[in-house]
Amino acid sequence: MKSSSHAPSATSLPRAPRDDVDARSIRYLVTMGIRVACFILMVVITPYGWYTWVFGAAAIFLPYIAVVSANVGQEGRRNRREDPEAALPAAPSAPPPPASRVIRIEETRPATPNTPDGDA
């Protein structure tokens, strides 16, 4: 759990989900409006030429672009690599405890009696 001594700034908080959906809907509607305009221009502008094919291609491919861009939320645009080393402060190295505070316990094995067959 993160513990912080100060409250997060309002500008550092992510966008509210409702605002994110509104922005994606507007982006989708604008793209589809451009598609409708391409259909109209493809039919209305005469004589037909290379630009008719451009308007037709735009009318065909803009729905795909609109759906993909509308499905990418705010998280998809902010995928930046974060370096964990910069986020974590260096831990101070604790000095080793003084030698006088170290307790050492040495154990000795009890002497085993000699067995007649020589096994210890």
Side-chain angles (χ1 to χ4, degrees):
M1 176 185 276
K2 290 184 179 180
S3 63
S4 177
S5 62
H6 56 82
S9 170
T11 57
S12 67
L13 296 175
R15 182 188 280 187
R18 179 184 55 220
D19 295 338
D20 191 37
V21 169
D22 289 344
R24 293 186 315 176
S25 298
I26 290 170
R27 191 169 47 244
Y28 177 79
L29 291 174
V30 166
T31 308
M32 293 308 284
I34 294 170
R35 178 185 185 222
V36 170
C38 286
F39 265 127
I40 293 170
L41 291 173
M42 183 178 71
V43 173
V44 171
I45 295 181
T46 55
Y48 300 119
W50 61 269
Y51 45 84
T52 306
W53 293 103
V54 172
F55 289 137
I60 290 171
F61 293 113
L62 276 176
Y64 172 76
I65 295 168
V67 169
V68 170
S69 68
N71 285 337
V72 175
Q74 188 68 17
E75 302 84 31
R77 280 195 210 90
R78 260 193 286 163
N79 282 343
R80 292 185 305 236
R81 185 181 68 87
E82 294 183 16
D83 190 11
E85 296 299 324
L88 299 175
S93 61
S100 64
R101 298 187 75 194
V102 176
I103 299 174
R104 294 182 187 255
I105 299 175
E106 293 183 19
E107 295 184 24
T108 58
R109 278 180 67 177
T112 57
N114 289 338
T115 57
D117 55 327
D119 290 338

